[in-house]
Structures are given as C-alpha cells and as structure tokens.
Amino acid sequence: MRTHFCGLIDESLVGQTVTLCGWADVARDLGGLCFIDLRDHEGIVQIVAEPSDAPGNGAVLATAARVGYEDCLRVTGRVRRRQSVNAKIRTGQVEVVATAIEVLNKAEPLPFHAHENAGEDIRLKYRYLDLRTPKMQRMLRTRIRLVQALRRWLDARGFQDIETPILTKATPEGARDFLVPARMHPGEFYALPQSPQLFKQILMVAGFDRYYQIARCFRDEALRADRQLEFTQLDMEFAWVDEQIVQDTTEALIRDVFREVMGVELADPFPRMTWAEAMRRYGSDKPDLRIALELVDVADLVKDCGFKVFADWASAEGGRVAALRIPGGAALSRKQIDEYAAHAAKFGSKGLAYAKLDEAGAVNSPIAKFFDEAAFAALLQATGAGKGDLVFFGAGPYRTVSDFMGAVRLKAGKDFGLVGAGWKPLWVTDFPMFEWDEEEQRYVALHHPFTAPAVDDEADLRANAATAVSRGYDMVLNGNEIGGGSIRIHRSAMQSAVFELLGIGAEEARAKFGFLLDALKYGAPPHGGIAFGIDRIAALMAGTDSIRDVIAFPKTTSAQCLLTDAPSPIPDPQLAEVHVAVRKTPESENPGSR
C-alpha cells in the first residue's frame, strides 16, 4: 500500500516516485495550488498538488481541494527539493509532488483539534485521536525505547524473563487487592497481584538465580499524577547477593539505559544517603537534589524560648523544630505566606511560623517577641539567613515536621526557580524496619513484610523493633522514587518473627503465607531484588509530570476509563455465574460515583 514512511522522506529520494499513507495534518487550498501536510507515525512531509498537463492531474487537484483535517489518505508522487525549506521538521528539505491522491477514509469533524490545548477528559475519551498527535507519539515511543533497552541489557547479562501468575492469593499487607471471583470455587476469590514479590522469591529458592519480568501490577488505591490502578514495573531478583551487588548492578542498568535512550550521562557512582539523613536534611525519603535548600534543626536554640509550641516540641521525645531558609523569600506577601501555610497543612502542619529579613536587615516576624534580640539573631544566623531572605519554622512530631517542611521546600524550590538543571540520582538506604500505626496500634512494614532486618537474630529484632533498621533501599531520581527493593528474609524463623511483630498471628501467617514459610525451610539462599516503575521512568524521560501521558490507555483520577466507560455494571445473570450479588449503596456513599 505504501513504499515509504512520511517522516523518512529525505534528499536521497529526490527524483524518485514514492507512495505514502497517513493523515492530513494540515490542508491548504490556495486556488489551483494545494498543500497537504501528510502525517504518519514517523513524522510529516509536505504534499503539493499543482497545475500540470499530465493526464489526470485535474482529478488530483480536485481531490486535494476536498481534503479535510485528519482525512486518511494514500498519495503517490515524485520527491523534489523544496524552494522554501522548513527547518522545524525532519523532511523540511523536500516535498512530494502528487500524481495521485486517494481518500481512504473521510474523517468527520473531530471532537478536538490536535493543535488545541484540549482538556484531559476529552482527550482520554477519544484516546485514539490523542495518541495520533506527534506529542503523544513521542511520549509512547520514549516508553517503547525504554522497555526495549531494559530487555536488551538484562538479556545480555543472563537474567531470565519468567512470567508469574496474574490470578493469585490475596494478602493482608500493602494496598487493597483487586478481587476476582472464582466461578469454579463458589465464595472464593483470586486477587490480582500488587507485585510478583512472593513468586520471584520462590524462583530464587527454585535456583533460577537471576530473574526479571516486565510485570503488570494492580493496586486498588487512590489515583494521582504518578499513580494508576494498574501499572508496569521492571521486577528483578538475585540469589546469593548482598545490597551492594544489587545496587551496583541495577545502577549500571539505569545508567546505561539513560545513555542509550536519552543520551544522558548519570553520575557514576550514584551518591548514597541513609533514610535518617535524607529526612533530616530534606524532609523526604526521596529528596530532589536539584534543589539546594536544606532543613536546619534548631531545637537547641528554641527550647528555652517563650514560644510554647517551639519550647515544648524542642524538649519532647520524638519532637522536632526545623527551619528552612528561602533566598529572596522576603518578597512574599502575607497572602503568599498564608498559601505556604495552607500547603504545609496538607502534610500535617498545624502552623507555619516565619521571619522576614528586608534589604536593610530589619526583621519582620510574629514570633520574634518570644525571644530576646540576641537569641533571635542567633536563631536566624543558624539558618544562614541574610538580607532579603525568608525563614519558615515548623514544630511537632519528628516525622510530621519532616513531611510538611519537606513539602514547603519543594514548593519554594519551584516557586523561586531554584530547581537546577540535569539529572540527580541517589540511593536512599537503611530505612526503618517498622512504623508504628497509632490508629491500628501495631507496627507496619515501611517497605513490605519480606524485607530483611539488619540484625540476624530474631530475639534482637523483637527487643528493638522500634529502632530496627531494614536492608531496604530506594533509587531516587530528581525527587522521584523510581525503584525500591531490599535484601529479603531467607529464613523461616525470621519471617515468622516479622509477621508476629506486624500483628499477623501464626494462624493467619500459615493461611496467607504458608507456602512461603515452607519454601524458606528448604535451603532458601540469601536473595534480594528491586522493582523499577516503568511508567514513572518513562514520564521522566518524556518530560511530563503525569504518568498518564506515557500509558496508552490510562484511567482518570476517578479510576475510570473514559474510552470504554469502565467500570460498568454487570447483569445479574452474569454475576450469578460467579456466585456474587451486589449490595446497592447510596450514591452519596459511593466513592466512585460519577
């Protein structure tokens, strides 16, 4: 049907006859002279229909004059050099003089124009039109090149691509499972996997040594710009390894893939930082190192001040008082400062104190009255504040203060143009083993229940659970966690001890994880691994803030597929086949109501 792709026509084809297929991106009738920008997945080339004495040329001109936006065409013509070069496109040195134009399918008026800034809802409803656009073609092709590069690298180094089940067993940890009724087992359900975690560990027990999979995973959780109900990850597992081996290998993988796909050289080696240091300096376990701003602990300087909030938290066990200097921040109005306080409140803040230093060095601060002049000067000096700067202060529980001050740091970095250029990778290590959940009054795993603790003795872990450190590690890039992993528990006794500390009793552990506990008894080797978020890495490479832009058919933030109108009701007879009945809930109680 065609001899060449539109976007690959170049000067080497001048004088040759080509046949092209594509969509009319732009059609211009200048009265006896027509221009059509013909587009396919490789790009655009200019088609010219002009007067000539050639037989049938009148029909060519007549057809060209009727071509509309997004009409599906086949064009045959001769390649020649353009008189007016278009340097903005790859084919801008040449054009195709049409000798035949066939309209393969006439397009009706479109719901939106590719060159408009259409809203996301209409783009997702007509996703096939959205995906035709050069922008979305570039986004998806970036993702394709990423996956191809990952596979080539892993295949060349002896990793084995092994598929794990999609229909599996529900587990009590992590996000909510998607449940699938089992027709042949009335009243019982499969779950869609949140990750291949347990299967890949069992593959290590089975002796496969180096596994990988481009895995589809599912989590029934709230959506946002960097999260979907279904997502894709590069899943990896290694036997007979420690943290350094996993980190060195996967760091080389990411470095080589960025070089191949993006032409980017990442740091070698990646810097490393403990979780405790990351939280102390940046208020985040995935700090964006492109922003040079850092938090400063000032508890020692405020514990005897007259401001009760500061003094109390400075003296409290587990409390924190932190400051953040924003260069040039004194230019913020009171309304803008209040907007920062509102932003911090989303992350747990109950108040954001501040101090401004004008260009003359005079201080404007609601909390200055609680300090003597020398003490407040020392406090500002500790933050490095100078003329024209603003300092924000936060007080409260250590983790809460870290979270909301970290959020303020990110906002200030963006608002004040303090985000540096380039790529800043980082390993974050030595995560806490557990977090205490006040609501459930039990420990929860910071990574997952299969992460090994830094100690080898179960009694030691039980005695020091509150301060236990795990052998977990995350790879961070420009403030995004792109990969997370750990060395796994490979002894059944330690796994049982961790379940116990997480409030998973022996009976429940046997019911949910008996197959894993059994496997660990039969000579399970030391092993570990990591999973990389394909969607998130592709979005970073493509330069977009939303992973929806690099997923062909994503869900909206309300968990809908607007293209297919999913989810949708199922008829009662079909539900009866899988032994399920639907309990109707009031519209106001339905979180997914439209």
Side-chain angles (χ1 to χ4, degrees):
M1 181 168 273
R2 64 184 172 192
T3 61
H4 296 79
F5 292 112
C6 297
L8 301 183
I9 302 299
D10 59 23
E11 291 177 286
S12 69
L13 297 171
V14 169
Q16 296 186 31
T17 296
V18 297
T19 298
L20 310 173
C21 293
W23 290 273
D25 192 73
V26 175
R28 304 180 298 280
D29 181 3
L30 304 183
L33 179 65
C34 296
F35 293 92
I36 301 168
D37 287 350
L38 192 66
R39 185 191 73 248
D40 63 12
H41 77 284
E42 290 288 358
I44 289 175
V45 68
Q46 179 170 281
I47 308 296
V48 183
E50 59 186 11
S52 80
D53 297 330
N57 189 66
V60 172
L61 274 169
T63 301
R66 294 193 300 270
V67 168
Y69 177 58
E70 290 302 294
D71 283 354
C72 187
L73 308 178
R74 179 168 60 183
V75 177
T76 297
R78 179 176 52 83
V79 181
R80 73 180 182 192
R81 286 186 172 84
R82 287 179 63 161
Q83 291 184 343
S84 177
V85 171
N86 183 354
K88 294 180 180 179
I89 58 175
R90 185 167 48 178
T91 63
Q93 299 284 339
V94 296
E95 60 190 10
V96 176
V97 182
T99 57
I101 298 177
E102 180 182 357
V103 179
L104 300 174
N105 200 353
K106 188 76 177 172
E108 295 185 5
L110 271 63
F112 68 94
H113 196 291
H115 303 290
E116 297 173 345
N117 187 21
E120 187 177 53
D121 281 358
I122 195 168
R123 289 173 49 218
L124 293 180
K125 180 175 177 61
Y126 299 96
R127 187 62 163 177
Y128 42 86
L129 298 178
D130 189 37
L131 291 175
R132 278 190 203 169
T133 63
K135 175 185 175 182
M136 292 306 300
Q137 289 276 322
R138 178 182 63 82
M139 297 277 192
L140 266 294
R141 286 158 76 93
T142 297
R143 180 195 181 100
I144 291 165
R145 291 197 304 274
L146 166 63
V147 173
Q148 289 172 337
L150 291 170
R151 286 193 182 279
R152 279 194 295 269
W153 197 96
L154 293 163
D155 290 342
R157 289 160 179 79
F159 285 85
Q160 301 170 86
D161 183 0
I162 305 175
E163 294 178 343
T164 54
I166 292 296
L167 296 176
T168 184
K169 190 179 184 70
T171 60
E173 288 292 316
R176 291 185 182 91
D177 289 319
F178 278 102
L179 302 178
V180 180
R183 182 181 60 83
M184 293 182 288
H185 300 273
E188 297 183 354
F189 295 82
Y190 300 104
L192 302 183
Q194 295 186 33
S195 82
Q197 180 63 44
L198 300 184
F199 289 105
K200 68 178 181 178
Q201 288 190 240
I202 287 173
L203 285 170
M204 296 304 100
V205 180
F208 283 94
D209 201 83
R210 284 190 164 197
Y211 142 95
Y212 86 93
Q213 182 183 185
I214 306 294
R216 296 290 285 168
C217 304
F218 308 85
R219 293 179 186 173
D220 188 1
E221 58 186 357
L223 276 69
R224 58 192 187 202
D226 65 346
R227 184 174 292 171
Q228 284 276 299
L229 299 177
E230 50 184 319
F231 56 95
T232 306
Q233 66 186 37
L234 167 62
D235 206 55
M236 301 175 65
E237 198 77 3
F238 310 63
W240 316 103
V241 292
D242 59 16
E243 296 91 326
Q244 196 69 41
I245 295 172
V246 177
Q247 291 169 21
D248 287 349
T249 303
T250 55
E251 179 180 316
L253 163 66
I254 295 300
R255 189 182 299 110
D256 288 351
V257 166
F258 265 78
R259 182 184 300 117
E260 177 179 341
V261 177
M262 299 289 293
V264 166
E265 292 291 337
L266 298 180
D268 184 6
F270 292 0
R272 281 166 167 73
M273 184 180 299
T274 66
W275 177 89
E277 182 182 358
M279 297 302 291
R280 176 177 57 81
R281 294 173 61 186
Y282 303 106
S284 173
D285 57 7
K286 49 180 185 295
D288 189 343
L289 298 186
R290 297 174 301 167
I291 301 171
L293 305 178
E294 294 192 22
L295 306 184
V296 177
D297 284 311
V298 294
D300 287 346
L301 298 173
V302 301
K303 62 184 178 181
D304 296 321
C305 76
F307 189 36
K308 183 173 172 55
V309 173
F310 279 13
D312 287 352
W313 282 111
S315 303
E317 183 179 355
R320 184 177 196 186
V321 184
L324 176 68
R325 165 185 167 261
I326 301 174
L332 289 179
S333 67
R334 178 56 190 267
K335 179 181 177 182
Q336 290 171 315
I337 289 174
D338 288 344
E339 289 172 356
Y340 272 84
H343 182 68
K346 297 176 184 177
F347 298 86
S349 169
K350 294 183 178 179
L352 197 62
Y354 70 90
K356 280 186 179 185
L357 283 77
D358 65 21
E359 294 301 334
V363 176
N364 174 9
S365 173
I367 63 172
K369 61 187 177 184
F370 296 105
F371 296 80
D372 63 48
E373 188 174 339
F376 201 66
L379 177 61
L380 294 178
Q381 183 178 12
T383 69
K387 296 177 181 179
D389 292 348
L390 170 73
V391 181
F392 280 124
F393 299 93
Y398 192 95
R399 183 63 185 269
T400 302
V401 171
S402 300
D403 287 345
F404 73 72
M405 291 296 284
V408 168
R409 172 183 174 272
L410 289 177
K411 178 174 170 57
K414 294 174 183 176
D415 290 350
F416 285 85
L418 301 176
V419 182
W423 301 89
K424 293 289 186 179
L426 172 72
W427 282 109
V428 178
T429 65
D430 300 330
F431 284 78
M433 187 72 183
F434 307 110
E435 282 184 308
W436 181 254
D437 188 311
E438 286 290 345
E439 185 175 334
E440 297 191 18
Q441 287 293 295
R442 69 178 183 93
Y443 287 114
V444 294
L446 200 67
H447 263 94
H448 56 59
F450 318 106
T451 297
V455 297
D456 291 327
D457 182 70
E458 297 91 68
D460 189 346
L461 179 65
R462 288 188 176 96
N464 299 285
T467 57
V469 173
S470 80
R471 299 178 70 182
Y473 37 80
D474 284 355
M475 185 185 288
V476 176
L477 183 62
N478 289 5
N480 297 272
E481 178 207 329
I482 63 170
S486 66
I487 298 302
R488 322 302 189 190
I489 298 168
H490 70 280
R491 292 188 295 106
S492 187
M494 178 62 81
Q495 186 65 77
S496 294
V498 169
F499 285 155
E500 177 187 325
L501 287 166
L502 293 172
I504 302 173
E507 185 176 339
E508 182 183 5
R510 171 53 53 182
K512 297 290 186 180
F513 304 109
F515 63 97
L516 173 68
L517 294 170
D518 288 343
L520 297 181
K521 294 177 181 178
Y522 298 114
H527 59 283
I530 194 168
F532 288 100
I534 297 291
D535 310 310
R536 199 167 291 176
I537 296 174
L540 286 170
M541 287 181 162
T544 178
D545 293 329
S546 174
I547 64 171
R548 291 191 292 275
D549 287 337
V550 292
I551 298 173
F553 302 104
K555 305 292 187 291
T556 66
T557 52
S558 59
Q560 294 173 258
C561 174
L562 298 182
L563 175 67
T564 63
D565 198 30
S568 58
I570 300 296
D572 288 341
Q574 190 175 351
L575 290 175
E577 290 181 354
V578 292
H579 317 286
V580 169
V582 176
R583 179 174 61 86
K584 302 295 184 183
T585 57
E587 191 75 10
S588 61
E589 295 180 16
N590 183 2
S593 61
R594 321 183 198 188

PDB file of all heavy atoms in Angstrom, residues 296-299 301-302 310 321 323 367 371 373-385 391 393:
ATOM      1  N   VAL A 296      17.177  22.892  58.648  1.00  0.00           N
ATOM      2  CA  VAL A 296      18.142  23.046  59.743  1.00  0.00           C
ATOM      3  C   VAL A 296      17.414  22.779  61.057  1.00  0.00           C
ATOM      4  O   VAL A 296      16.359  23.366  61.312  1.00  0.00           O
ATOM      5  CB  VAL A 296      18.744  24.472  59.760  1.00  0.00           C
ATOM      6  CG1 VAL A 296      19.689  24.635  60.942  1.00  0.00           C
ATOM      7  CG2 VAL A 296      19.456  24.771  58.451  1.00  0.00           C
ATOM      8  N   ASP A 297      17.952  21.883  61.879  1.00  0.00           N
ATOM      9  CA  ASP A 297      17.365  21.625  63.193  1.00  0.00           C
ATOM     10  C   ASP A 297      17.779  22.731  64.162  1.00  0.00           C
ATOM     11  O   ASP A 297      18.972  23.031  64.314  1.00  0.00           O
ATOM     12  CB  ASP A 297      17.818  20.262  63.707  1.00  0.00           C
ATOM     13  CG  ASP A 297      17.104  19.117  63.021  1.00  0.00           C
ATOM     14  OD1 ASP A 297      15.865  19.166  62.933  1.00  0.00           O
ATOM     15  OD2 ASP A 297      17.782  18.187  62.550  1.00  0.00           O
ATOM     16  N   VAL A 298      16.786  23.322  64.817  1.00  0.00           N
ATOM     17  CA  VAL A 298      17.062  24.456  65.709  1.00  0.00           C
ATOM     18  C   VAL A 298      16.512  24.235  67.108  1.00  0.00           C
ATOM     19  O   VAL A 298      16.338  25.190  67.871  1.00  0.00           O
ATOM     20  CB  VAL A 298      16.485  25.768  65.099  1.00  0.00           C
ATOM     21  CG1 VAL A 298      17.213  26.133  63.807  1.00  0.00           C
ATOM     22  CG2 VAL A 298      14.978  25.657  64.868  1.00  0.00           C
ATOM     23  N   ALA A 299      16.221  22.987  67.453  1.00  0.00           N
ATOM     24  CA  ALA A 299      15.624  22.701  68.760  1.00  0.00           C
ATOM     25  C   ALA A 299      16.472  23.238  69.903  1.00  0.00           C
ATOM     26  O   ALA A 299      15.946  23.802  70.875  1.00  0.00           O
ATOM     27  CB  ALA A 299      15.401  21.197  68.917  1.00  0.00           C
ATOM     28  N   LEU A 301      18.225  25.777  70.048  1.00  0.00           N
ATOM     29  CA  LEU A 301      18.190  27.237  70.127  1.00  0.00           C
ATOM     30  C   LEU A 301      16.846  27.776  70.577  1.00  0.00           C
ATOM     31  O   LEU A 301      16.722  28.969  70.872  1.00  0.00           O
ATOM     32  CB  LEU A 301      18.546  27.845  68.762  1.00  0.00           C
ATOM     33  CG  LEU A 301      19.944  27.532  68.226  1.00  0.00           C
ATOM     34  CD1 LEU A 301      20.101  28.050  66.803  1.00  0.00           C
ATOM     35  CD2 LEU A 301      21.007  28.150  69.134  1.00  0.00           C
ATOM     36  N   VAL A 302      15.815  26.917  70.622  1.00  0.00           N
ATOM     37  CA  VAL A 302      14.475  27.414  70.964  1.00  0.00           C
ATOM     38  C   VAL A 302      13.874  26.731  72.192  1.00  0.00           C
ATOM     39  O   VAL A 302      12.761  27.082  72.592  1.00  0.00           O
ATOM     40  CB  VAL A 302      13.514  27.246  69.757  1.00  0.00           C
ATOM     41  CG1 VAL A 302      14.039  28.001  68.542  1.00  0.00           C
ATOM     42  CG2 VAL A 302      13.280  25.780  69.426  1.00  0.00           C
ATOM     43  N   PHE A 310       7.267  25.983  70.243  1.00  0.00           N
ATOM     44  CA  PHE A 310       8.659  25.632  69.955  1.00  0.00           C
ATOM     45  C   PHE A 310       9.308  24.955  71.159  1.00  0.00           C
ATOM     46  O   PHE A 310       9.963  23.913  71.039  1.00  0.00           O
ATOM     47  CB  PHE A 310       9.454  26.892  69.585  1.00  0.00           C
ATOM     48  CG  PHE A 310       9.287  27.338  68.163  1.00  0.00           C
ATOM     49  CD1 PHE A 310       8.290  26.817  67.347  1.00  0.00           C
ATOM     50  CD2 PHE A 310      10.133  28.300  67.629  1.00  0.00           C
ATOM     51  CE1 PHE A 310       8.145  27.245  66.040  1.00  0.00           C
ATOM     52  CE2 PHE A 310       9.998  28.741  66.328  1.00  0.00           C
ATOM     53  CZ  PHE A 310       8.997  28.211  65.530  1.00  0.00           C
ATOM     54  N   VAL A 321      11.990  20.705  65.823  1.00  0.00           N
ATOM     55  CA  VAL A 321      11.786  22.087  65.399  1.00  0.00           C
ATOM     56  C   VAL A 321      12.801  22.333  64.289  1.00  0.00           C
ATOM     57  O   VAL A 321      14.017  22.227  64.508  1.00  0.00           O
ATOM     58  CB  VAL A 321      11.980  23.094  66.548  1.00  0.00           C
ATOM     59  CG1 VAL A 321      11.664  24.511  66.050  1.00  0.00           C
ATOM     60  CG2 VAL A 321      11.116  22.740  67.740  1.00  0.00           C
ATOM     61  N   ALA A 323      13.955  24.600  60.587  1.00  0.00           N
ATOM     62  CA  ALA A 323      13.876  25.867  59.869  1.00  0.00           C
ATOM     63  C   ALA A 323      14.298  25.655  58.422  1.00  0.00           C
ATOM     64  O   ALA A 323      15.106  24.771  58.116  1.00  0.00           O
ATOM     65  CB  ALA A 323      14.765  26.908  60.527  1.00  0.00           C
ATOM     66  N   ILE A 367       6.942  35.794  65.648  1.00  0.00           N
ATOM     67  CA  ILE A 367       7.465  35.052  66.796  1.00  0.00           C
ATOM     68  C   ILE A 367       8.676  35.728  67.430  1.00  0.00           C
ATOM     69  O   ILE A 367       9.180  35.266  68.457  1.00  0.00           O
ATOM     70  CB  ILE A 367       7.836  33.598  66.411  1.00  0.00           C
ATOM     71  CG1 ILE A 367       8.960  33.576  65.372  1.00  0.00           C
ATOM     72  CG2 ILE A 367       6.604  32.851  65.917  1.00  0.00           C
ATOM     73  CD1 ILE A 367       9.515  32.190  65.098  1.00  0.00           C
ATOM     74  N   PHE A 371      11.505  35.953  71.857  1.00  0.00           N
ATOM     75  CA  PHE A 371      12.947  35.784  72.018  1.00  0.00           C
ATOM     76  C   PHE A 371      13.569  37.114  72.411  1.00  0.00           C
ATOM     77  O   PHE A 371      13.067  38.171  72.018  1.00  0.00           O
ATOM     78  CB  PHE A 371      13.585  35.330  70.692  1.00  0.00           C
ATOM     79  CG  PHE A 371      13.156  33.984  70.197  1.00  0.00           C
ATOM     80  CD1 PHE A 371      11.941  33.830  69.533  1.00  0.00           C
ATOM     81  CD2 PHE A 371      13.961  32.875  70.372  1.00  0.00           C
ATOM     82  CE1 PHE A 371      11.544  32.598  69.049  1.00  0.00           C
ATOM     83  CE2 PHE A 371      13.580  31.635  69.881  1.00  0.00           C
ATOM     84  CZ  PHE A 371      12.362  31.495  69.234  1.00  0.00           C
ATOM     85  N   GLU A 373      16.652  39.699  71.772  1.00  0.00           N
ATOM     86  CA  GLU A 373      17.225  40.071  70.465  1.00  0.00           C
ATOM     87  C   GLU A 373      18.418  39.206  70.090  1.00  0.00           C
ATOM     88  O   GLU A 373      18.542  38.757  68.945  1.00  0.00           O
ATOM     89  CB  GLU A 373      17.652  41.552  70.514  1.00  0.00           C
ATOM     90  CG  GLU A 373      18.086  42.078  69.157  1.00  0.00           C
ATOM     91  CD  GLU A 373      18.358  43.576  69.183  1.00  0.00           C
ATOM     92  OE1 GLU A 373      17.846  44.257  70.101  1.00  0.00           O
ATOM     93  OE2 GLU A 373      19.079  44.062  68.297  1.00  0.00           O
ATOM     94  N   ALA A 374      19.281  38.909  71.041  1.00  0.00           N
ATOM     95  CA  ALA A 374      20.479  38.115  70.756  1.00  0.00           C
ATOM     96  C   ALA A 374      20.112  36.676  70.396  1.00  0.00           C
ATOM     97  O   ALA A 374      20.692  36.074  69.480  1.00  0.00           O
ATOM     98  CB  ALA A 374      21.425  38.134  71.950  1.00  0.00           C
ATOM     99  N   ALA A 375      19.119  36.114  71.109  1.00  0.00           N
ATOM    100  CA  ALA A 375      18.715  34.729  70.856  1.00  0.00           C
ATOM    101  C   ALA A 375      18.079  34.590  69.472  1.00  0.00           C
ATOM    102  O   ALA A 375      18.327  33.612  68.753  1.00  0.00           O
ATOM    103  CB  ALA A 375      17.746  34.264  71.936  1.00  0.00           C
ATOM    104  N   PHE A 376      17.262  35.596  69.092  1.00  0.00           N
ATOM    105  CA  PHE A 376      16.622  35.509  67.782  1.00  0.00           C
ATOM    106  C   PHE A 376      17.652  35.716  66.671  1.00  0.00           C
ATOM    107  O   PHE A 376      17.597  35.059  65.629  1.00  0.00           O
ATOM    108  CB  PHE A 376      15.504  36.541  67.663  1.00  0.00           C
ATOM    109  CG  PHE A 376      14.488  36.183  66.587  1.00  0.00           C
ATOM    110  CD1 PHE A 376      13.684  35.061  66.710  1.00  0.00           C
ATOM    111  CD2 PHE A 376      14.343  36.969  65.463  1.00  0.00           C
ATOM    112  CE1 PHE A 376      12.764  34.730  65.737  1.00  0.00           C
ATOM    113  CE2 PHE A 376      13.427  36.653  64.476  1.00  0.00           C
ATOM    114  CZ  PHE A 376      12.637  35.528  64.613  1.00  0.00           C
ATOM    115  N   ALA A 377      18.626  36.592  66.918  1.00  0.00           N
ATOM    116  CA  ALA A 377      19.697  36.785  65.938  1.00  0.00           C
ATOM    117  C   ALA A 377      20.493  35.492  65.755  1.00  0.00           C
ATOM    118  O   ALA A 377      20.869  35.119  64.629  1.00  0.00           O
ATOM    119  CB  ALA A 377      20.609  37.928  66.381  1.00  0.00           C
ATOM    120  N   ALA A 378      20.743  34.779  66.863  1.00  0.00           N
ATOM    121  CA  ALA A 378      21.469  33.509  66.776  1.00  0.00           C
ATOM    122  C   ALA A 378      20.664  32.460  66.016  1.00  0.00           C
ATOM    123  O   ALA A 378      21.218  31.649  65.243  1.00  0.00           O
ATOM    124  CB  ALA A 378      21.788  33.008  68.180  1.00  0.00           C
ATOM    125  N   LEU A 379      19.341  32.488  66.223  1.00  0.00           N
ATOM    126  CA  LEU A 379      18.473  31.553  65.520  1.00  0.00           C
ATOM    127  C   LEU A 379      18.532  31.796  64.011  1.00  0.00           C
ATOM    128  O   LEU A 379      18.684  30.853  63.224  1.00  0.00           O
ATOM    129  CB  LEU A 379      17.040  31.709  66.030  1.00  0.00           C
ATOM    130  CG  LEU A 379      15.955  30.852  65.348  1.00  0.00           C
ATOM    131  CD1 LEU A 379      16.248  29.373  65.532  1.00  0.00           C
ATOM    132  CD2 LEU A 379      14.584  31.200  65.930  1.00  0.00           C
ATOM    133  N   LEU A 380      18.430  33.050  63.606  1.00  0.00           N
ATOM    134  CA  LEU A 380      18.493  33.362  62.178  1.00  0.00           C
ATOM    135  C   LEU A 380      19.870  33.049  61.609  1.00  0.00           C
ATOM    136  O   LEU A 380      19.995  32.578  60.474  1.00  0.00           O
ATOM    137  CB  LEU A 380      18.144  34.834  61.958  1.00  0.00           C
ATOM    138  CG  LEU A 380      16.703  35.236  62.293  1.00  0.00           C
ATOM    139  CD1 LEU A 380      16.499  36.721  62.077  1.00  0.00           C
ATOM    140  CD2 LEU A 380      15.718  34.437  61.437  1.00  0.00           C
ATOM    141  N   GLN A 381      20.902  33.294  62.391  1.00  0.00           N
ATOM    142  CA  GLN A 381      22.259  33.019  61.933  1.00  0.00           C
ATOM    143  C   GLN A 381      22.449  31.521  61.675  1.00  0.00           C
ATOM    144  O   GLN A 381      23.125  31.118  60.716  1.00  0.00           O
ATOM    145  CB  GLN A 381      23.281  33.519  62.961  1.00  0.00           C
ATOM    146  CG  GLN A 381      24.728  33.344  62.517  1.00  0.00           C
ATOM    147  CD  GLN A 381      25.713  33.883  63.531  1.00  0.00           C
ATOM    148  OE1 GLN A 381      25.348  34.187  64.672  1.00  0.00           O
ATOM    149  NE2 GLN A 381      26.965  34.014  63.131  1.00  0.00           N
ATOM    150  N   ALA A 382      21.833  30.706  62.515  1.00  0.00           N
ATOM    151  CA  ALA A 382      21.963  29.262  62.348  1.00  0.00           C
ATOM    152  C   ALA A 382      21.357  28.790  61.027  1.00  0.00           C
ATOM    153  O   ALA A 382      21.777  27.774  60.470  1.00  0.00           O
ATOM    154  CB  ALA A 382      21.278  28.541  63.514  1.00  0.00           C
ATOM    155  N   THR A 383      20.379  29.531  60.530  1.00  0.00           N
ATOM    156  CA  THR A 383      19.743  29.150  59.258  1.00  0.00           C
ATOM    157  C   THR A 383      20.499  29.686  58.047  1.00  0.00           C
ATOM    158  O   THR A 383      20.176  29.321  56.910  1.00  0.00           O
ATOM    159  CB  THR A 383      18.297  29.667  59.197  1.00  0.00           C
ATOM    160  OG1 THR A 383      18.309  31.103  59.089  1.00  0.00           O
ATOM    161  CG2 THR A 383      17.517  29.237  60.431  1.00  0.00           C
ATOM    162  N   GLY A 384      21.462  30.584  58.289  1.00  0.00           N
ATOM    163  CA  GLY A 384      22.185  31.204  57.180  1.00  0.00           C
ATOM    164  C   GLY A 384      21.430  32.331  56.530  1.00  0.00           C
ATOM    165  O   GLY A 384      21.786  32.780  55.431  1.00  0.00           O
ATOM    166  N   ALA A 385      20.356  32.831  57.174  1.00  0.00           N
ATOM    167  CA  ALA A 385      19.513  33.865  56.568  1.00  0.00           C
ATOM    168  C   ALA A 385      20.261  35.182  56.468  1.00  0.00           C
ATOM    169  O   ALA A 385      21.026  35.570  57.358  1.00  0.00           O
ATOM    170  CB  ALA A 385      18.246  34.043  57.400  1.00  0.00           C
ATOM    171  N   VAL A 391      12.609  32.914  56.344  1.00  0.00           N
ATOM    172  CA  VAL A 391      12.825  31.643  57.033  1.00  0.00           C
ATOM    173  C   VAL A 391      11.470  31.132  57.523  1.00  0.00           C
ATOM    174  O   VAL A 391      10.734  31.852  58.200  1.00  0.00           O
ATOM    175  CB  VAL A 391      13.790  31.783  58.220  1.00  0.00           C
ATOM    176  CG1 VAL A 391      13.994  30.428  58.895  1.00  0.00           C
ATOM    177  CG2 VAL A 391      15.128  32.362  57.765  1.00  0.00           C
ATOM    178  N   PHE A 393       9.552  28.192  59.855  1.00  0.00           N
ATOM    179  CA  PHE A 393       9.825  27.319  61.006  1.00  0.00           C
ATOM    180  C   PHE A 393       8.654  26.362  61.181  1.00  0.00           C
ATOM    181  O   PHE A 393       7.489  26.754  61.038  1.00  0.00           O
ATOM    182  CB  PHE A 393       9.990  28.130  62.290  1.00  0.00           C
ATOM    183  CG  PHE A 393      11.116  29.107  62.268  1.00  0.00           C
ATOM    184  CD1 PHE A 393      10.912  30.421  61.875  1.00  0.00           C
ATOM    185  CD2 PHE A 393      12.398  28.727  62.657  1.00  0.00           C
ATOM    186  CE1 PHE A 393      11.944  31.341  61.869  1.00  0.00           C
ATOM    187  CE2 PHE A 393      13.440  29.640  62.649  1.00  0.00           C
ATOM    188  CZ  PHE A 393      13.215  30.954  62.246  1.00  0.00           C
TER     189      PHE A 393
END
